[in-house]
Amino acid sequence: MTDTTLEAFARGLPKAELHMHIEGSLEPELMFALAERNGITLPYKSVEEIRAAYAFSNLQDFLDIYYQGAGVLITRADFRDLALAYFERLAADGGVHAEIFFDPQTHTERGVAFETVIDGLLDGMAQAEERLGVTSKLILCFLRHLSEESAFETLEQARPHLAKIAGVGLDSSEVGHPPAKFARVFKAARDLGLKIVAHAGEEGPPEYVWEAIDLVGVDRIDHGNRALEDEALTQRLVKDGTTLTVCPLSNLKLCVVPDLTAHPMRRMLDLGLKATVNSDDPAYFGGYLLDNYLETAKAVDLTRDDLVVLARNSFEGSFLDEAEKARRLAQVDAYAAGS
Ligand code: HPA
Ligand code: ZN
C-alpha cells in the first residue's frame, strides 16, 4: 500500500485519543494570542523562537517549558479556546472521541480557580460535540512532584464537579515519585466512583507499572513502554488485557527511544498487548493523532490491519459505556470492511 493510500485510510478510520494533556495542545500562536489578551509578557519574541526552544533531552526538560507555557491560561474563555482548537485538529484527523487530561494544580497554584479551568474546558467540550460531533471525557491529573496532601486538596476541589469528571490520573516528573505515593488518594477517588489511570513506565522502571496495577488498581496504564523490560509484567498486562496509552512522537521527542524505528509498538502488538496510539502533548512533540499513527506505521511497518487493531483498542480501552463502545467498534469494522 502506498503512503497516500495508508494516509487516506488512517484519516478516515474512526479513532479515539486516550492520552492527551490539554495544556500540551497549546500551540505557540495561541500562546501568543492569549498572552496578549491577558497582558502577559512571554520570554520569547516570536512563534519561531518558541518552536526553537522545543528541543528536549528528557521529560523534565519538557515539563519546565510546558508549565511556563500554561501560564498564559487565565480565563474561562482561554480554557474553552484551548480545548476547541484541539478538538478541531482531532476532528480533522478523523478522531471521534477523546479522553483529555487536565492539570488543575498547574493553574490553582497560580491563583486561577478550579472552576475557571473546568468550566472553560467543559464549554469547549460541549461546543466540540455540537459543532464537530466529537465526544469527550475529562480526566483530572494529580501532579506527582507535588505532595499527597495537595492531591487530596485537588480531589476535594473536584467534588462539586464529579458528574463531569470520568477519572483521575497521575502525571509530571515520574522518577522518584512512584504510584505508591498516591495510593491513598487514588483509593479515595475510586470510592467516589472515578476511573483511575497513571503514567508509568515512561521513564520510570517496571516496578512503577507493577505498583500502578497491584497497589493502585489502575484501569489503564499511560505509556508503559518500560513494562517490556519485565517478562512477567508483560504477560500480566496481556492476560489482564490492560490498555496502554502509548505516545510514539512523545517517546521520540523525550528521548525514550533513539529514533522511531526503535519504537516498541510493533512488538507490543505482536505480544498481544492492548496498545493504543496517542499524541500526549501535540503542540510540543510535533504531531497530532494522525501524525502519530502514520509516522509509527512508517517506522515500524504497521499494516492497515494493525491500524484497525489500534483503533479498536482505542475504543475498547475508553471509558465510554458498553453501548457506545459497541457502536464505535461497529463503525470501525464497517469502515475497515468498506475501504
Ligand atoms: N509525562 C508526564 N507528565 C506529563 C506529560 C508526559 O508525557 N505531559 C504532560 N505532563
Ligand atoms: Zn502524558
Side-chain angles (χ1 to χ4, degrees), residues 19 21 59 62-63 66-67 103 171-172 199 202 223 250 254 280-281 285:
H19 185 156
H21 304 260
L59 174 58
F62 154 70
L63 289 170
Y66 161 85
Y67 293 130
D103 289 344
D171 65 2
S172 191
H199 283 53
E202 179 184 20
H223 294 295
S250 164
L254 299 185
D280 208 2
D281 299 279
F285 298 151

Side-chain angles (χ1 to χ4, degrees), residues 83-239:
L84 264 181
Y86 162 70
F87 287 118
E88 275 162 16
R89 294 292 296 257
L90 182 70
D93 279 1
V96 296
H97 176 71
E99 302 187 352
I100 64 174
F101 297 134
F102 73 117
D103 289 344
Q105 288 152 299
T106 299
H107 313 298
T108 53
E109 284 212 321
R110 302 181 287 117
V112 176
F114 186 97
E115 277 64 34
T116 302
V117 179
I118 193 165
D119 289 345
L121 294 177
L122 290 167
D123 289 344
M125 292 161 69
Q127 288 185 23
E129 183 157 3
E130 203 178 300
R131 289 191 212 163
L132 307 164
V134 174
T135 57
S136 56
K137 292 183 185 288
L138 267 184
I139 299 176
L140 180 165
C141 279
F142 302 118
L143 297 182
R144 68 203 303 159
H145 67 275
L146 300 180
S147 65
E148 181 198 40
E149 186 190 0
S150 176
F152 266 114
E153 279 166 22
T154 306
L155 186 60
E156 214 37 54
Q157 290 168 337
R159 257 179 197 272
H161 310 281
L162 288 181
K164 300 287 174 74
I165 298 174
V168 291
L170 188 64
D171 65 2
S172 191
S173 321
E174 185 181 3
V175 175
H177 303 284
K181 177 177 167 185
F182 298 93
R184 291 190 300 189
V185 73
F186 277 129
K187 163 89 172 58
R190 168 83 70 210
D191 290 345
L192 291 170
L194 294 164
K195 299 281 191 188
I196 310 287
V197 298
H199 283 53
E202 179 184 20
E203 287 188 343
E207 288 69 33
Y208 285 20
V209 181
W210 279 116
E211 280 184 16
I213 56 177
D214 280 340
L215 211 67
V216 173
V218 291
D219 295 291
R220 297 197 290 248
I221 293 282
D222 295 317
H223 294 295
N225 299 42
R226 291 197 58 194
L228 295 182
E229 294 170 22
D230 181 332
E231 201 180 321
L233 175 58
T234 305
Q235 282 173 13
R236 168 74 182 278
L237 294 169
V238 171
K239 179 165 92 43

Side-chain angles (χ1 to χ4, degrees), residues 9 13-14 265-266 268-270 272-277 293 303-317 329 332-333 336:
F9 179 78
L13 181 65
M265 181 57 84
R266 172 79 269 157
M268 287 172 161
L269 292 178
D270 291 345
L273 287 161
K274 292 278 183 196
T276 60
V277 168
Y293 269 81
T303 64
R304 204 177 117 131
D305 288 350
D306 292 324
L307 300 191
V308 172
V309 168
L310 288 164
R312 287 188 60 88
N313 289 351
S314 75
F315 293 111
E316 282 172 353
L329 288 168
V332 172
D333 293 343

Side-chain angles (χ1 to χ4, degrees), residues 22-64:
I22 196 65
E23 294 90 347
S25 70
L26 178 59
E27 289 287 344
E29 288 80 1
L30 185 57
M31 197 189 289
F32 260 108
L34 295 183
E36 193 170 332
R37 190 152 103 183
N38 294 320
I40 291 168
T41 308
L42 288 170
Y44 307 101
K45 285 198 267 320
S46 66
V47 161
E48 292 70 35
E49 209 179 292
I50 297 188
R51 287 220 162 82
Y54 293 175
F56 315 113
S57 311
N58 54 42
L59 174 58
Q60 194 60 50
D61 267 5
F62 154 70
L63 289 170
D64 294 342

